[in-house]
């Protein structure tokens, strides 16, 4: 049977990326950093990443919801509890795709006068970018595929996979139950 999804990254790949990103962020912010993660897709990434940092670190969360896919129109559903003024902040994203969501978030965060504002994303779908975005720390550049697992969902599911599966969104949508079945024999 043709697999509906393939393993793009296993747990070892993800661990190695977190170790590298943790080193990069620690080197860039020797006095400490505030990581701001975007709910919900970044949560598992953040939880592993934060344990690789060797400098003082705080975390906070932003919640967003899109009005329509690829519209770039998002609204905040949960705001930060931390004052960003003068702080060294790194925004932690799961995927930067068109870049529209990130554009909105950076505008929001810049208006709060952080001392510095960086971006760390687990996945960069650079070929799909509509709005160019500066990315300071990138886990993996990936192509035009839909990925699930390690925090990333399809209609709320698959966030709990400890690997990242990639495939075709239409195939996934046609039979979500079967999509990842081949990945776990
Ligand atoms: P953008 O505004 O850059 O087009 O979209 C970014 C958001 O779209 C990500 O934060 C993520 O929620 C969602 N997204 C983009 N590509 C994927 C993907 O391959 N898998 C999943 N699960 N979500 C994605």
């Amino acid at each position: 049977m043709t697999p509906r999804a393939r393993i793009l990254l296993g747990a070892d790949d993800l661990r190695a990326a977190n170790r590298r990103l943790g080193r990069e962020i620690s080197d860039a912010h020797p006095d400490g950093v505030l990581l701001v993660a975007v709910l919900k897709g970044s949560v598992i990434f953040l939880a592993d990443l934060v344990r690789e940092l060797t400098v003082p670190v705080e975390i906070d969360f932003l919640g967003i919801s899109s009005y329509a896919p690829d519209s770039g129109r998002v609204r905040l559903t949960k705001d930060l509890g931390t004052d960003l003024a003068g702080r060294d902040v790194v925004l932690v994203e799961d995927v930067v795709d068109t870049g529209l969501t990130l554009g909105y978030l950076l505008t929001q965060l810049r208006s709060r006068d952080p001392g510095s504002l960086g971006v760390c994303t687990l996945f960069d779908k650079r070929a799909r970018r509509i709005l160019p975005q500066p990315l300071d720390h990138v886990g993996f550049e990936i192509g035009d595929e839909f990925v699930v697992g390690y925090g990333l969902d399809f209609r709320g599911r698959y966030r709990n996979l400890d690997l990242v599966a990639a495939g075709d969104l239409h195939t996934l949508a046609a039979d979500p139950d079967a999509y990842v079945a081949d990945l776990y024999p």
Side-chain angles (χ1 to χ4, degrees), residues 93-101 125 145-147 152-153:
E93 262 285 23
D94 52 1
V95 187
V96 180
D97 186 11
T98 63
L100 296 172
T101 305
K125 290 190 180 177
E145 290 187 291
F146 194 77
V147 289
L152 291 154
D153 76 313

Side-chain angles (χ1 to χ4, degrees), residues 5 7 9-11 148-150 158 160-165 178-185:
I7 296 175
L9 299 161
V148 296
Y150 198 63
Y158 308 122
N160 57 318
L161 300 180
D162 62 358
L163 50 75
V164 174
Y179 185 70
V180 296
D182 308 322
L183 302 176
Y184 291 102

Side-chain angles (χ1 to χ4, degrees), residues 10-11 20 26 30-31 36 41 48 62 64 71-72 80-81 85-86 89 93 114 119 141 162 167 172 174 177:
R20 172 177 57 81
S26 299
D31 298 330
V36 170
D48 284 342
L62 273 178
I64 56 168
S71 69
L80 299 170
V89 176
E93 262 285 23
V119 178
E141 186 178 337
D162 62 358
L172 169 60
D177 285 324

